[in-house]
Amino acid sequence: MPKVSRCGQSAVLSTGELDRLVDCMDPRCRAVMSVCRYTAARVSEALALKWKNITAGFVVLEKSNTKTKRTRQVPMTPALAAELERWRRLQPARHTQPGSWIFCRTDGIDLEPAPRRSVDHALRRACAKAGLTGVSTHSMRRSALTSASDKGVPLRHIQSLSGHESLDCLSRYLQVSEAQK
């Protein structure tokens, strides 16, 4: 379930936990959370994506939609490419045009992205099914950044992918294991 007090940090999930959680999600939530999982994007950044932001090999997070107001270009993983293609095939043709929101509202209003609240509710349902606690939409971001650090990706590279202005800010996102201390 999501954080209760909003003062704690969201859980960092293992690859197995992420897979189990994603398997419990509805298709839209699965696609949104996959963007967050594989790009370390904030959920608001994922929801602001249009199909034109998915380029050959990259996801472009436009500066108008990022917290730091800087455009970020994040490499596209094969897993994310497959997930977005699966989502695209489920959409009517009018929702797959370059200028269309990837995740538009489900109530027939095509001119706006899906509301964050709908993703939050879908994630809560998936967490309950998966038996996971302490999870929020930010868990995908924290898990992606921690996983990259665990794999030995240089911190400066992780910082550029995440958009954090300093290594100090980034370090608050990373969960350090006992073996790494």
Side-chain angles (χ1 to χ4, degrees), residues 7-176:
C7 295
Q9 289 188 321
S10 55
V12 172
L13 304 175
S14 68
T15 300
E17 289 170 324
L18 286 166
D19 291 342
R20 190 169 87 227
L21 180 58
V22 166
D23 286 343
C24 295
M25 292 177 179
D26 65 66
R28 180 172 69 169
C29 186
R30 179 184 177 114
V32 172
M33 291 293 100
S34 291
V35 169
C36 297
R37 175 184 183 179
Y38 294 113
T39 68
R42 296 168 181 89
V43 70
S44 58
E45 294 168 343
L47 291 172
L49 287 171
K50 294 185 176 186
W51 287 109
K52 69 180 180 178
N53 301 121
I54 307 303
T55 64
F58 292 95
V59 175
V60 179
L61 302 166
E62 294 181 351
K63 67 181 178 181
S64 59
N65 300 316
T66 66
K67 186 175 177 180
T68 58
K69 300 301 179 205
R70 283 191 235 135
T71 296
R72 295 195 319 271
Q73 189 169 305
V74 182
M76 172 92 67
T77 65
L80 179 56
E83 193 62 51
L84 287 174
E85 183 55 33
R86 190 175 306 122
W87 176 247
R88 182 190 291 265
R89 286 193 309 266
L90 293 172
Q91 303 310 300
R94 74 179 191 278
H95 290 175
T96 61
Q97 301 304 309
S100 299
W101 302 103
I102 295 176
F103 308 110
C104 64
R105 295 172 57 123
T106 58
D107 59 5
I109 302 173
D110 297 348
L111 303 177
E112 296 180 17
R116 181 186 172 132
R117 186 180 323 162
S118 66
V119 176
D120 288 333
H121 290 302
L123 179 62
R124 285 188 202 135
R125 287 190 301 273
C127 286
K129 284 183 193 175
L132 295 170
T133 59
V135 176
S136 74
T137 55
H138 225 55
S139 292
M140 304 301 144
R141 182 169 166 81
R142 288 196 70 222
S143 299
L145 298 174
T146 296
S147 176
S149 177
D150 290 348
K151 291 175 182 170
V153 175
L155 289 179
R156 288 285 183 197
H157 184 67
I158 296 172
Q159 180 185 3
S160 72
L161 293 175
S162 70
H164 285 107
E165 291 187 348
S166 70
L167 288 176
D168 184 51
C169 288
L170 173 63
S171 69
R172 288 181 244 154
Y173 275 74
L174 303 178
Q175 181 171 296
V176 180

